[in-house]
Amino acid sequence: MARKKHIFITGATDGIGRALAAHYRSKGQQVWMLGRKALSELDPSFYTATNYVQVDLAQPDAAERVRHFLGLQ
């Protein structure tokens, strides 16, 4: 039996990141997504508060925001 993977994708709102997220989700994998767009700007059938976090990785608080989102406090 194959183990379920947990996948974290940055840049998940466009291009390759979005395509990878869709691919892994279609395979039944647990996908957490990160991007700079606000959740309210995204398709609610794909992006939710439990699988997406808005973070700009260039900002000093980015790591803390991601840790909080993943529950690693």
Side-chain angles (χ1 to χ4, degrees):
M1 175 187 273
R3 279 182 41 192
K4 187 171 185 174
K5 296 178 183 176
H6 299 274
I7 300 163
F8 190 72
I9 298 177
T10 62
T13 61
D14 291 304
I16 294 171
R18 171 75 162 88
L20 286 170
H23 169 77
Y24 286 116
R25 285 182 61 177
S26 75
K27 301 291 185 189
Q29 303 303 327
Q30 173 66 50
V31 177
W32 291 291
M33 300 173 283
L34 178 149
R36 290 182 290 179
K37 292 183 180 179
L39 183 58
S40 62
E41 298 176 37
L42 302 170
D43 177 358
S45 68
F46 193 79
Y47 301 93
T48 68
T50 59
N51 71 14
Y52 176 79
V53 62
Q54 179 187 11
V55 176
D56 182 345
L57 293 177
Q59 298 304 308
D61 68 338
E64 182 60 31
R65 290 176 51 94
V66 171
R67 270 195 305 274
H68 179 72
F69 171 70
L70 294 174
L72 301 175
Q73 302 267 27

